Structure formats: C-alpha cells, structure tokens
Amino acid sequence: MPVRSMPTFRYRRHQVAVLVFLGLMTNYMMRTNINIALEEMTDRNSSLGLYLNWTDYGGSRVSETNAEDAKDFVKSAFFIGYVITQVPGGRMTETFGTKKVLGHSLFICALLCAVTPLICYINLSTSLTVGLLFVIRVVQGLCEGVSYPALTPTVAKWSPDSERGLFLAFCYMGGTFGAVLAFPLCGLIMEYMNWTWVFYIISLITVVWYITWMLLMSDDPQNDKLITEDERDEILRTRPFNSKQQAADLATPVMPLLWDILKTPVVWVCVLCDFCNGFGLYVLLSEGPGFVRDVLPIGKDIYINGLLSSTPSLARLIFAQVAGYASDFLIGREYLSKLQTQKLSTCIAFLLPGAGMIVMTFFTTSDWQYVCVALLALSFGFNGAVCSGHVQNIISLAPNRSGTLYGVSNGLGNLSGFIVPFVKSWTVRDITSIDEWRNLFIVAASLYTLATVVFCIFATGEAQHFNSKEYRISQSSVPPETSSDEETKPTETTPLLNI
C-alpha cells in the first residue's frame, strides 16, 4: 500500500479536515475559557473587570475556601452535560450527519458563551450567580458533548485507508489547538481589556466558523458537489465505511445497539483508555494554570501563565501529526499491523506523559522552573500519539457505527472530567505545596499505566458483531419487499477478545 505525502489541502478531503479541525478548535476554546477567566473573575486584587466575591458561597462563614469550592463547582458542571449527550450525539450524527449536528450544537454553545458575562453583571446573590453559571455550563456541556462522536463517522467516510492515521490526528487535534490558542489569547485579552471579553471574542470566532461550516461542509464524498471524480473514487474504494449498509444503519434502534455495545468486552478496553486519558488531560487543562501560577515563580504573570499553560498542548498538537504520519507509514510498508501500531502508539501516548508529570515536580525552583515547563511540554507532546492508538481502534471496531461507539467510550471516559476537580481538592489542600501537586500527578500516571497494560493485552482490531448486525423491532415493521433469505440469517459474531 503506498504511503502518501503530507496533505497539500488542494484535495477536498483535506478541506473537510480543516473545517472539522476549526470546529473542534472553537469547541475547546469555549470549554476552557472559563477555567482561565475564573481566576480573574474571583480575584479581589484584580483590576481587569467585575470582581465576583464568592467567599460567602454555601452560606457558611466567609473564607477563601468557599470561593475555591464555588470555582470547582462551576468547573465540574460542564462535564455533567458533556457525558449525557455523547451517545445521542453519535447516533444523531449517523442519522442526520455531522454537518447539522456539530454545526448547530456549537452555534448554540457560542450564544451561551456570550451570555455568561451578563449573568455575572446582574446584581444577584452569590449562590444564585454560581447556580446560573452552573446551569449555563451544563447546557454548554450538552451542546459540546456531540462534537467528538461526530468526528469518527466523518473520518470513516472521508479518509482513504492510506491516510487514516494522519487524517484522524489532524481533525482530532483541532481541540488541542483550541486549548493552545485559548490560554495565551485569554491572557492577552485580560491584560489589555477584561475577562468579559474572553467570552465575547470566543463567541464571535465560533459564529464565524459556523457560517463557513454550513456553507462548505458535506457529510459524504458520494454527495459532495466540490470533489473531483478521481478523488471520490479513491476514497470510496478504500474507506472502511460501507455505504450499502447505510439504510440498515439509519433504521437501527438505539437501545438494542447500545446494549450490544455495552456487553462487548473490548468496548470497555476503549472506555478505560478514554477515562484514564481524560483524567490526565483534564489535570493539565483544568488544573494546569493553577499549578503554573501557584508553584512556578514565572507563573504569576497572567500572560506568561497562559503562554506556559498552552505549551504542552502545542507540543501534543505537533507530535500528533508526526505520530499519525508514522502510523500510516508503518502500516503502509507492512512493518507493523494496524493493531500492533495502535498498541505501540498507546504505550507512547500514556506511559511517557505519566512519567513526565511526576518527574517535572522535582524541577519547580526558580533555577529549574524552565526545565519543569520543558518536561511538561515534552511529556504531554507524546500524548498526541493517542490518535493513532485507542481512538483509531474505535473505528476498527465499528466503522459504520463508530459515532455511537465513540459516544459510549468517550461519554463514560469523560466522567473523569467531573471527578478531576474533586480529586484535586482532596489531594491538593495547600496549592503552594509541591508534594501535594505531585500526589495528584501520581494518580494520573497510575491510571495511564493501568490503561496501557489493559489495552496491550485485550485490544483487538476485528470489527465487532454490532457493526453489521441488523436489528428489527418486529416482523411487521419490515416491508415485504425488503425481506430476503439473507436478512433472516443470524448474524455471525466475531470473537470478542483477541489476546
């Protein structure tokens, strides 16, 4: 199998990849902006806009602990909604297409992002303000929960076999680029304007993307008006998506499919990987700015803090492209099988970041703080290989129903986003204590190690039985003309574990 060169973006599939990349960029900017702005929103010494005094949160005595509890409460709200819409988002994408589902959901999220500062400027009690912000973040989570389940059907439909690793890595890392951009951008906005403009500007960027997306995006190369015949033929010849099965996919009821997915053991391997990977990433994204600010001497400056906090994500973005290209190369030259490449990528993506998080805590003094930042960036850079690891394995398990499968895996896996703030509160009581921060990183590294071991032992590259199984509610619901001997045959189930 030939190995392609890096994308030139003259091909239609590369244009689609750019649109998805930018959509996930806005997704992450809206997801992380409040984590950055909250520090200024609740800082009594800040001169960057309205100060929210949350020290009386919960009705107890006035203290800074109350303010920290309120911030953790608001931070965790997003993931409640985010988890709920993972499976519905994947199924809606398979039914209505990525264009409508991803586009409309992020547009609604942008409107809520713009409303956030207005809630804070209304003269309400602390509990009511925090409660309203909590609700807004839950609804934003509901909107953004469909984003990544909408990604895998697009990859399955638009990427030829020889480019799948790089195509997936580029699209998937749009979110990481959003995190890279959000930290310094928010810091710059707050330095020259105030924290309210963090929400307004990011909302505007998302609306501009939405208009472009609705004008240029297409769900399937078969129906795209801008693609050339040669490129369409190449994609259709080698993609894993089976268009002949599409009618049966659209008629598939959710609950029987969901039950088959949940009782398939290899699915839980991917769920564990998503959970452990999510825990490590949310430690970085949600708590990283606090670690840089409270532990590193150079982290006191707002803009420098944002720049340093984005460095690991930038390294992750770059390495993901390298890992995606390397994955296609190894598979194309038949040096490794797809499954072997996915296992190798998982080892790189999990073990090296886990080790790096622990080691960097020994280099936090003023003389060694730049070494700490370098270790943080380098270790999380390797996590970019995740796109060539268990994420790509999900498409292997169910190319036609990857949206629903990814919704299950990513939804259950992202429960870690709800847990991280509370684990951080439990392990890091003194935010200036390096030892306590190290304990939090040890928890993340331990989960990374567990996921690596389980994936390397139990993962399989075989398409699972629920990918092609035909579901029927009752015999009367099937039109007579669609009946055939082939349809009445029981579906053969592939082995669930391939150790």
Side-chain angles (χ1 to χ4, degrees):
M1 180 184 299
V3 179
R4 294 195 172 276
S5 59
M6 298 295 283
T8 61
F9 302 107
R10 73 175 183 270
Y11 294 111
R12 177 59 175 152
R13 61 183 179 272
H14 298 156
Q15 298 167 12
V16 168
V18 171
L19 288 171
V20 175
F21 177 92
L22 294 176
L24 295 181
M25 177 197 75
T26 64
N27 171 302
Y28 252 80
M29 291 174 70
M30 290 187 290
R31 181 189 304 197
T32 60
N33 60 3
I34 199 169
N35 296 329
I36 305 168
L38 264 178
E39 302 301 328
E40 294 303 316
M41 293 164 65
T42 58
D43 184 357
R44 67 173 66 250
N45 298 316
S46 174
S47 60
L48 301 177
L50 174 68
Y51 159 55
L52 301 178
N53 183 5
W54 287 354
T55 55
D56 62 341
Y57 172 72
S60 58
R61 62 184 180 84
V62 175
S63 71
E64 292 300 324
T65 301
N66 293 337
E68 291 298 319
D69 290 342
K71 286 190 287 185
D72 289 339
F73 183 64
V74 172
K75 287 180 183 179
S76 66
F78 177 91
F79 298 100
I80 296 175
Y82 189 78
V83 169
I84 292 173
T85 52
Q86 290 287 312
V87 174
R91 191 68 191 125
M92 284 191 298
T93 300
E94 293 165 352
T95 303
F96 302 109
T98 302
K99 179 177 180 177
K100 292 180 180 178
V101 174
L102 183 60
H104 297 334
S105 64
L106 290 183
F107 177 71
I108 295 172
C109 193
L111 297 181
L112 293 171
C113 182
V115 168
T116 299
L118 303 179
I119 297 297
C120 299
Y121 271 106
I122 300 175
N123 188 19
L124 301 173
S125 66
T126 297
S127 296
L128 189 54
T129 300
V130 172
L132 287 174
L133 289 178
F134 182 89
V135 171
I136 287 177
R137 291 295 287 174
V138 170
V139 178
Q140 284 187 304
L142 290 170
C143 293
E144 292 201 12
V146 307
S147 298
Y148 279 90
L151 168 62
T152 48
T154 301
V155 175
K157 292 177 181 178
W158 273 96
S159 63
D161 193 59
S162 60
E163 292 182 5
R164 188 154 306 117
L166 187 56
F167 189 97
L168 177 59
F170 182 79
C171 292
Y172 192 94
M173 284 296 136
T176 300
F177 182 72
V180 171
L181 188 59
F183 282 113
L185 177 62
C186 291
L188 195 62
I189 292 172
M190 290 188 292
E191 182 173 350
Y192 291 100
M193 303 172 79
N194 62 56
W195 61 261
T196 61
W197 284 97
V198 166
F199 298 94
Y200 297 142
I201 291 176
I202 290 177
S203 296
L204 179 61
I205 292 172
T206 305
V207 171
V208 172
W209 167 84
Y210 170 74
I211 295 172
T212 307
W213 171 266
M214 296 305 294
L215 290 174
L216 299 179
M217 180 59 185
S218 179
D219 288 317
D220 196 314
Q222 279 187 307
N223 308 317
D224 186 64
K225 297 179 180 180
L226 301 178
I227 193 172
T228 64
E229 288 297 328
D230 289 342
E231 184 180 5
R232 178 186 285 114
D233 292 342
E234 179 186 4
I235 294 173
L236 298 182
R237 186 175 64 254
T238 62
R239 70 181 185 177
F241 182 81
N242 181 7
S243 58
K244 296 180 181 179
Q245 187 186 311
Q246 194 165 10
D249 290 338
L250 295 177
T252 298
V254 176
M255 295 311 297
L257 173 60
L258 183 59
W259 175 243
D260 275 344
I261 290 174
L262 291 175
K263 67 182 184 181
T264 303
V266 291
V267 168
W268 290 96
V269 174
C270 292
V271 170
L272 178 66
C273 288
D274 267 323
F275 180 89
C276 297
N277 186 53
F279 190 96
L281 291 180
Y282 291 130
V283 164
L284 172 66
L285 292 175
S286 298
E287 310 304 335
F291 171 76
V292 172
R293 183 190 66 252
D294 298 323
V295 174
L296 300 183
I298 56 175
K300 307 302 180 185
D301 182 270
I302 298 173
Y303 180 70
I304 296 297
N305 188 329
L307 189 62
L308 294 180
S309 298
S310 67
T311 302
S313 295
L314 178 60
R316 184 173 184 257
L317 168 65
I318 295 172
F319 188 79
Q321 312 314 308
V322 176
Y325 186 76
S327 170
D328 290 337
F329 179 83
L330 292 173
I331 295 172
R333 294 295 178 87
E334 299 183 349
Y335 294 136
L336 295 175
S337 68
K338 288 184 180 180
L339 182 60
Q340 289 171 335
T341 304
Q342 290 164 6
K343 290 182 177 181
L344 174 62
S345 299
T346 299
C347 290
I348 295 172
F350 289 175
L351 296 181
L352 295 182
M357 279 193 292
I358 298 174
V359 173
M360 73 180 184
T361 60
F362 295 97
F363 296 91
T364 56
T365 62
S366 57
D367 293 333
W368 293 97
Q369 57 185 329
Y370 292 103
V371 175
C372 177
V373 174
L375 285 171
L376 180 62
L378 183 63
S379 60
F380 268 91
F382 288 118
N383 185 258
V386 72
C387 300
S388 304
H390 83 277
V391 175
Q392 193 169 157
N393 184 253
I394 290 174
I395 299 178
S396 299
L397 297 181
N400 268 63
R401 294 166 183 171
S402 58
T404 304
L405 175 57
Y406 193 85
V408 171
S409 180
N410 199 44
L412 294 174
N414 271 279
L415 290 173
S416 57
F418 181 78
I419 296 171
V420 165
F422 299 100
V423 175
K424 182 255 184 177
S425 298
W426 176 59
T427 55
V428 186
R429 304 305 299 179
D430 178 4
I431 58 176
T432 62
S433 172
I434 297 173
D435 290 336
E436 293 187 7
W437 278 103
R438 186 179 298 125
N439 290 337
L440 175 62
F441 297 143
I442 288 174
V443 173
S446 300
L447 290 174
Y448 271 140
T449 303
L450 173 64
T452 303
V453 172
V454 171
F455 186 82
C456 288
I457 296 176
F458 295 110
T460 178
E462 299 288 337
Q464 298 301 292
H465 67 292
F466 58 80
N467 178 63
S468 56
K469 181 177 178 179
E470 293 186 8
Y471 297 85
R472 288 186 289 185
I473 302 299
S474 64
Q475 185 65 32
S476 60
S477 65
V478 181
E481 63 270 21
T482 61
S483 301
S484 67
D485 294 336
E486 183 178 356
E487 289 179 349
T488 58
K489 293 179 182 179
T491 303
E492 183 179 353
T493 304
T494 56
L496 300 186
L497 287 180
N498 185 17
I499 302 175

PDB file of all heavy atoms in Angstrom, residues 39 68 78 81 137 189-190 193 208 226 250 278 300 313 315 354 357 362 489 494 499:
ATOM      1  N   GLU A  39     -10.085  32.639  37.450  1.00  0.00           N
ATOM      2  CA  GLU A  39      -9.060  33.106  38.372  1.00  0.00           C
ATOM      3  C   GLU A  39      -9.106  34.627  38.510  1.00  0.00           C
ATOM      4  O   GLU A  39      -8.897  35.173  39.588  1.00  0.00           O
ATOM      5  CB  GLU A  39      -7.668  32.658  37.894  1.00  0.00           C
ATOM      6  CG  GLU A  39      -7.505  31.154  37.744  1.00  0.00           C
ATOM      7  CD  GLU A  39      -7.760  30.408  39.038  1.00  0.00           C
ATOM      8  OE1 GLU A  39      -7.482  30.960  40.118  1.00  0.00           O
ATOM      9  OE2 GLU A  39      -8.262  29.261  38.963  1.00  0.00           O
ATOM     10  N   GLU A  68     -13.011  28.796  46.511  1.00  0.00           N
ATOM     11  CA  GLU A  68     -12.421  27.672  45.780  1.00  0.00           C
ATOM     12  C   GLU A  68     -13.461  26.587  45.523  1.00  0.00           C
ATOM     13  O   GLU A  68     -13.499  25.992  44.443  1.00  0.00           O
ATOM     14  CB  GLU A  68     -11.235  27.102  46.563  1.00  0.00           C
ATOM     15  CG  GLU A  68     -10.026  28.014  46.628  1.00  0.00           C
ATOM     16  CD  GLU A  68      -9.454  28.309  45.245  1.00  0.00           C
ATOM     17  OE1 GLU A  68      -9.384  27.385  44.412  1.00  0.00           O
ATOM     18  OE2 GLU A  68      -9.112  29.480  44.989  1.00  0.00           O
ATOM     19  N   PHE A  78     -19.726  21.486  33.466  1.00  0.00           N
ATOM     20  CA  PHE A  78     -19.651  21.220  32.030  1.00  0.00           C
ATOM     21  C   PHE A  78     -19.739  19.723  31.740  1.00  0.00           C
ATOM     22  O   PHE A  78     -20.425  19.305  30.802  1.00  0.00           O
ATOM     23  CB  PHE A  78     -18.346  21.805  31.479  1.00  0.00           C
ATOM     24  CG  PHE A  78     -18.117  21.528  30.018  1.00  0.00           C
ATOM     25  CD1 PHE A  78     -18.562  22.400  29.044  1.00  0.00           C
ATOM     26  CD2 PHE A  78     -17.434  20.384  29.617  1.00  0.00           C
ATOM     27  CE1 PHE A  78     -18.357  22.149  27.696  1.00  0.00           C
ATOM     28  CE2 PHE A  78     -17.217  20.122  28.274  1.00  0.00           C
ATOM     29  CZ  PHE A  78     -17.680  21.004  27.311  1.00  0.00           C
ATOM     30  N   GLY A  81     -23.272  17.726  31.595  1.00  0.00           N
ATOM     31  CA  GLY A  81     -23.945  17.751  30.301  1.00  0.00           C
ATOM     32  C   GLY A  81     -23.158  17.042  29.225  1.00  0.00           C
ATOM     33  O   GLY A  81     -23.733  16.368  28.360  1.00  0.00           O
ATOM     34  N   ARG A 137     -23.115  26.178  32.132  1.00  0.00           N
ATOM     35  CA  ARG A 137     -22.038  25.246  31.811  1.00  0.00           C
ATOM     36  C   ARG A 137     -22.572  23.841  31.543  1.00  0.00           C
ATOM     37  O   ARG A 137     -22.042  23.119  30.685  1.00  0.00           O
ATOM     38  CB  ARG A 137     -21.002  25.217  32.940  1.00  0.00           C
ATOM     39  CG  ARG A 137     -20.196  26.481  33.064  1.00  0.00           C
ATOM     40  CD  ARG A 137     -19.330  26.710  31.832  1.00  0.00           C
ATOM     41  NE  ARG A 137     -18.200  25.794  31.781  1.00  0.00           N
ATOM     42  CZ  ARG A 137     -17.364  25.709  30.758  1.00  0.00           C
ATOM     43  NH1 ARG A 137     -17.534  26.456  29.680  1.00  0.00           N
ATOM     44  NH2 ARG A 137     -16.348  24.855  30.783  1.00  0.00           N
ATOM     45  N   ILE A 189      -6.195  38.970  26.148  1.00  0.00           N
ATOM     46  CA  ILE A 189      -7.442  39.737  26.243  1.00  0.00           C
ATOM     47  C   ILE A 189      -7.593  40.355  27.625  1.00  0.00           C
ATOM     48  O   ILE A 189      -7.935  41.534  27.773  1.00  0.00           O
ATOM     49  CB  ILE A 189      -8.655  38.830  25.922  1.00  0.00           C
ATOM     50  CG1 ILE A 189      -8.641  38.417  24.456  1.00  0.00           C
ATOM     51  CG2 ILE A 189      -9.962  39.552  26.249  1.00  0.00           C
ATOM     52  CD1 ILE A 189      -9.674  37.374  24.107  1.00  0.00           C
ATOM     53  N   MET A 190      -7.309  39.559  28.669  1.00  0.00           N
ATOM     54  CA  MET A 190      -7.473  40.063  30.032  1.00  0.00           C
ATOM     55  C   MET A 190      -6.412  41.093  30.396  1.00  0.00           C
ATOM     56  O   MET A 190      -6.624  41.939  31.265  1.00  0.00           O
ATOM     57  CB  MET A 190      -7.460  38.893  31.025  1.00  0.00           C
ATOM     58  CG  MET A 190      -8.701  38.022  30.946  1.00  0.00           C
ATOM     59  SD  MET A 190      -8.823  36.785  32.254  1.00  0.00           S
ATOM     60  CE  MET A 190      -7.468  35.700  31.839  1.00  0.00           C
ATOM     61  N   MET A 193      -7.828  44.179  28.058  1.00  0.00           N
ATOM     62  CA  MET A 193      -9.252  44.527  28.145  1.00  0.00           C
ATOM     63  C   MET A 193      -9.749  44.085  29.527  1.00  0.00           C
ATOM     64  O   MET A 193      -9.300  44.613  30.529  1.00  0.00           O
ATOM     65  CB  MET A 193     -10.011  43.864  26.996  1.00  0.00           C
ATOM     66  CG  MET A 193      -9.449  44.252  25.614  1.00  0.00           C
ATOM     67  SD  MET A 193     -10.141  43.346  24.213  1.00  0.00           S
ATOM     68  CE  MET A 193     -11.684  44.193  24.002  1.00  0.00           C
ATOM     69  N   VAL A 208     -18.427  32.902  13.324  1.00  0.00           N
ATOM     70  CA  VAL A 208     -17.795  32.988  12.002  1.00  0.00           C
ATOM     71  C   VAL A 208     -17.524  31.588  11.457  1.00  0.00           C
ATOM     72  O   VAL A 208     -17.762  31.305  10.276  1.00  0.00           O
ATOM     73  CB  VAL A 208     -16.487  33.808  12.075  1.00  0.00           C
ATOM     74  CG1 VAL A 208     -15.723  33.728  10.762  1.00  0.00           C
ATOM     75  CG2 VAL A 208     -16.790  35.266  12.421  1.00  0.00           C
ATOM     76  N   LEU A 226     -18.229  19.475  -4.638  1.00  0.00           N
ATOM     77  CA  LEU A 226     -16.958  20.134  -4.898  1.00  0.00           C
ATOM     78  C   LEU A 226     -15.799  19.164  -5.137  1.00  0.00           C
ATOM     79  O   LEU A 226     -14.712  19.569  -5.513  1.00  0.00           O
ATOM     80  CB  LEU A 226     -16.601  21.057  -3.719  1.00  0.00           C
ATOM     81  CG  LEU A 226     -17.613  22.166  -3.407  1.00  0.00           C
ATOM     82  CD1 LEU A 226     -17.168  22.962  -2.191  1.00  0.00           C
ATOM     83  CD2 LEU A 226     -17.797  23.088  -4.607  1.00  0.00           C
ATOM     84  N   LEU A 250     -29.486   3.449   9.470  1.00  0.00           N
ATOM     85  CA  LEU A 250     -30.447   4.501   9.827  1.00  0.00           C
ATOM     86  C   LEU A 250     -31.674   3.925  10.513  1.00  0.00           C
ATOM     87  O   LEU A 250     -32.303   4.597  11.343  1.00  0.00           O
ATOM     88  CB  LEU A 250     -30.866   5.271   8.569  1.00  0.00           C
ATOM     89  CG  LEU A 250     -29.769   6.073   7.868  1.00  0.00           C
ATOM     90  CD1 LEU A 250     -30.310   6.727   6.607  1.00  0.00           C
ATOM     91  CD2 LEU A 250     -29.190   7.119   8.802  1.00  0.00           C
ATOM     92  N   GLY A 278      -8.521  10.912  29.649  1.00  0.00           N
ATOM     93  CA  GLY A 278      -9.252  12.116  30.003  1.00  0.00           C
ATOM     94  C   GLY A 278      -8.830  12.667  31.346  1.00  0.00           C
ATOM     95  O   GLY A 278      -8.696  13.885  31.524  1.00  0.00           O
ATOM     96  N   LYS A 300       3.283  33.880  37.809  1.00  0.00           N
ATOM     97  CA  LYS A 300       2.454  34.904  38.434  1.00  0.00           C
ATOM     98  C   LYS A 300       1.867  35.863  37.413  1.00  0.00           C
ATOM     99  O   LYS A 300       0.780  36.403  37.611  1.00  0.00           O
ATOM    100  CB  LYS A 300       3.273  35.699  39.459  1.00  0.00           C
ATOM    101  CG  LYS A 300       3.987  34.834  40.495  1.00  0.00           C
ATOM    102  CD  LYS A 300       3.038  33.968  41.281  1.00  0.00           C
ATOM    103  CE  LYS A 300       3.800  33.113  42.313  1.00  0.00           C
ATOM    104  NZ  LYS A 300       2.892  32.176  43.009  1.00  0.00           N
ATOM    105  N   SER A 313       0.077  21.612  25.252  1.00  0.00           N
ATOM    106  CA  SER A 313      -0.913  21.336  24.209  1.00  0.00           C
ATOM    107  C   SER A 313      -0.326  21.564  22.822  1.00  0.00           C
ATOM    108  O   SER A 313      -0.644  20.832  21.869  1.00  0.00           O
ATOM    109  CB  SER A 313      -2.149  22.222  24.416  1.00  0.00           C
ATOM    110  OG  SER A 313      -2.799  21.903  25.621  1.00  0.00           O
ATOM    111  N   ALA A 315       2.823  21.163  21.987  1.00  0.00           N
ATOM    112  CA  ALA A 315       3.681  20.001  21.722  1.00  0.00           C
ATOM    113  C   ALA A 315       2.838  18.785  21.346  1.00  0.00           C
ATOM    114  O   ALA A 315       3.199  18.012  20.447  1.00  0.00           O
ATOM    115  CB  ALA A 315       4.528  19.701  22.961  1.00  0.00           C
ATOM    116  N   GLY A 354       2.749  10.122  31.699  1.00  0.00           N
ATOM    117  CA  GLY A 354       2.628   9.778  33.110  1.00  0.00           C
ATOM    118  C   GLY A 354       3.935   9.955  33.863  1.00  0.00           C
ATOM    119  O   GLY A 354       3.976  10.523  34.954  1.00  0.00           O
ATOM    120  N   MET A 357       4.918  13.823  34.142  1.00  0.00           N
ATOM    121  CA  MET A 357       4.192  14.603  35.147  1.00  0.00           C
ATOM    122  C   MET A 357       4.831  14.487  36.522  1.00  0.00           C
ATOM    123  O   MET A 357       4.866  15.452  37.289  1.00  0.00           O
ATOM    124  CB  MET A 357       2.729  14.145  35.217  1.00  0.00           C
ATOM    125  CG  MET A 357       1.854  14.734  34.149  1.00  0.00           C
ATOM    126  SD  MET A 357       0.086  14.494  34.474  1.00  0.00           S
ATOM    127  CE  MET A 357      -0.060  12.736  34.278  1.00  0.00           C
ATOM    128  N   PHE A 362       9.999  17.792  40.443  1.00  0.00           N
ATOM    129  CA  PHE A 362      11.289  17.935  41.127  1.00  0.00           C
ATOM    130  C   PHE A 362      12.112  19.091  40.552  1.00  0.00           C
ATOM    131  O   PHE A 362      13.253  19.287  40.947  1.00  0.00           O
ATOM    132  CB  PHE A 362      12.081  16.620  41.006  1.00  0.00           C
ATOM    133  CG  PHE A 362      11.448  15.458  41.723  1.00  0.00           C
ATOM    134  CD1 PHE A 362      10.646  14.543  41.050  1.00  0.00           C
ATOM    135  CD2 PHE A 362      11.631  15.288  43.093  1.00  0.00           C
ATOM    136  CE1 PHE A 362      10.059  13.475  41.706  1.00  0.00           C
ATOM    137  CE2 PHE A 362      11.045  14.217  43.769  1.00  0.00           C
ATOM    138  CZ  PHE A 362      10.255  13.319  43.077  1.00  0.00           C
ATOM    139  N   LYS A 489     -30.956 -14.665   8.036  1.00  0.00           N
ATOM    140  CA  LYS A 489     -29.873 -15.462   8.583  1.00  0.00           C
ATOM    141  C   LYS A 489     -29.333 -14.810   9.839  1.00  0.00           C
ATOM    142  O   LYS A 489     -29.209 -13.587   9.901  1.00  0.00           O
ATOM    143  CB  LYS A 489     -28.737 -15.589   7.563  1.00  0.00           C
ATOM    144  CG  LYS A 489     -29.120 -16.391   6.334  1.00  0.00           C
ATOM    145  CD  LYS A 489     -27.950 -16.440   5.366  1.00  0.00           C
ATOM    146  CE  LYS A 489     -28.311 -17.202   4.107  1.00  0.00           C
ATOM    147  NZ  LYS A 489     -27.190 -17.233   3.140  1.00  0.00           N
ATOM    148  N   THR A 494     -18.168 -11.943  15.623  1.00  0.00           N
ATOM    149  CA  THR A 494     -16.714 -12.086  15.639  1.00  0.00           C
ATOM    150  C   THR A 494     -16.236 -12.295  17.052  1.00  0.00           C
ATOM    151  O   THR A 494     -16.912 -11.979  18.017  1.00  0.00           O
ATOM    152  CB  THR A 494     -16.067 -10.804  15.072  1.00  0.00           C
ATOM    153  OG1 THR A 494     -16.535  -9.708  15.848  1.00  0.00           O
ATOM    154  CG2 THR A 494     -16.442 -10.591  13.636  1.00  0.00           C
ATOM    155  N   ILE A 499      -6.542 -11.964  22.326  1.00  0.00           N
ATOM    156  CA  ILE A 499      -5.383 -11.723  23.194  1.00  0.00           C
ATOM    157  C   ILE A 499      -4.102 -12.208  22.535  1.00  0.00           C
ATOM    158  O   ILE A 499      -4.059 -13.317  22.037  1.00  0.00           O
ATOM    159  CB  ILE A 499      -5.578 -12.413  24.548  1.00  0.00           C
ATOM    160  CG1 ILE A 499      -6.858 -11.910  25.213  1.00  0.00           C
ATOM    161  CG2 ILE A 499      -4.392 -12.195  25.464  1.00  0.00           C
ATOM    162  CD1 ILE A 499      -7.194 -12.605  26.488  1.00  0.00           C
TER     163      ILE A 499
END
